[in-house]
Amino acid sequence: KQEVTQIPAALSVPEGENLVLNCSFTDSAIYNLQWFRQDPGKGLTSLLLIQSSQREQTSGRLNASLDKSSGRSTLYIAASQPGDSATYLCAVDAGNNRKLIWGLGTSLAVNP
Amino acid sequence: NAGVMQNPRHLVRRRGQEARLRCSPMKGHSHVYWYRQLPEEGLKFMVYLQKENIIDESGMPKERFSAEFPKEGPSILRIQQVVRGDSAAYFCASSTAGGTEAFFGQGTRLTVV
């Protein structure tokens, strides 16, 4: 049974820091992995999607890596800003009717 | 091309009433997925539908919950005789038949009082 874990559960950093959010999954047979952002009381914003054949994806200050063999993904945020404050969710698509299996998220606070 | 539209955004129901949540997929998308996010819990898959077909309902509670995606009109998630434990955010996503990514709506926040 696929399980997704995100560490840390919460993170507070000063503005300008580079930071890494971690996601691990128990079954390496995945179709893809996605990182989402969720603001309090709001919807889900897709940040990056990494196909199983890819090692990383980049968008602006965000870089996500994927290591299927070790069951790990990281989301790197460069030069963090207060506007980056949100909950970051990792979700794995095991290819089974495209059901996403979700982590509990990392709650990020970037302090000015 | 509008994104996935969910309505209402917020819904308040008294215990025992029915809740109907609507999801209009992106134009050209024929696949719809519903997820539920309970307070302090992660998102959980509920059901996967194609037009006029339920493909996978393995995440749906056995009683009181049903979903449909008719040939015309939005997908509907129906919760009968709601209880306080149904209070959650319900998210809908849609994709094309061969698409690798599903796109999410803003969610419906159901509060049962």
Side-chain angles (χ1 to χ4, degrees):
Chain A
K1 178 186 172 184
Q2 179 73 271
E3 293 183 1
V4 179
T5 303
Q6 291 187 245
I7 295 173
L11 184 61
S12 180
V13 300
E15 181 177 4
E17 272 204 10
N18 303 323
L19 53 100
V20 174
L21 307 182
N22 296 291
C23 173
S24 61
F25 46 96
T26 55
D27 188 342
S28 62
I30 66 171
Y31 184 67
N32 62 47
L33 182 146
Q34 272 185 274
W35 284 92
F36 291 84
R37 168 182 173 144
Q38 184 175 30
D39 292 277
K42 303 291 185 183
L44 300 163
T45 301
S46 179
L47 298 173
L48 290 164
L49 182 150
I50 311 177
Q51 300 289 356
S52 63
S53 58
Q54 297 173 320
R55 297 298 301 268
E56 66 177 341
Q57 282 284 348
T58 298
S59 176
R61 293 183 294 109
L62 305 179
N63 176 277
S65 67
L66 174 63
D67 184 342
K68 275 180 53 179
S69 60
S70 66
R72 294 178 189 274
S73 176
T74 60
L75 178 66
Y76 176 81
I77 303 177
S80 57
Q81 303 170 358
D84 295 330
S85 299
T87 296
Y88 290 80
L89 296 164
C90 168
V92 165
D93 181 349
N96 178 17
N97 285 332
R98 208 174 287 123
K99 286 188 286 191
L100 293 178
I101 311 299
W102 300 78
L104 293 179
T106 293
S107 177
L108 173 65
V110 180
N111 305 305
Chain B
N1 186 10
V4 178
M5 303 300 292
Q6 291 189 247
N7 67 82
R9 293 289 304 277
H10 300 274
L11 181 62
V12 179
R13 283 288 178 266
R14 296 185 182 279
R15 282 179 293 171
Q17 291 184 319
E18 178 179 283
R20 290 166 64 96
L21 288 62
R22 294 175 181 77
C23 170
S24 296
M26 288 179 68
K27 186 176 181 180
H29 287 195
S30 58
H31 295 218
V32 165
Y33 313 80
W34 285 93
Y35 290 83
R36 177 167 68 171
Q37 186 176 36
L38 291 164
E40 308 303 323
E41 295 188 25
L43 283 114
K44 304 287 187 199
F45 168 83
M46 298 183 75
V47 63
Y48 164 35
L49 309 109
Q50 295 175 16
K51 282 195 180 285
E52 299 185 286
N53 276 309
I54 297 175
I55 305 302
D56 184 340
E57 56 181 349
S58 58
M60 288 279 272
K62 294 287 184 265
E63 298 177 347
R64 301 185 299 106
F65 285 72
S66 63
E68 64 176 3
F69 187 18
K71 186 177 180 180
E72 301 291 338
S75 175
I76 306 288
L77 179 66
R78 182 182 291 108
I79 311 172
Q80 296 178 303
Q81 300 175 326
V82 295
V83 300
R84 289 230 171 98
D86 297 332
S87 295
Y90 292 82
F91 290 96
C92 167
S94 73
S95 73
T96 60
T100 58
E101 183 176 1
F103 296 83
F104 281 81
Q106 292 296 299
T108 293
R109 278 157 182 81
L110 172 66
T111 303
V112 179
V113 296

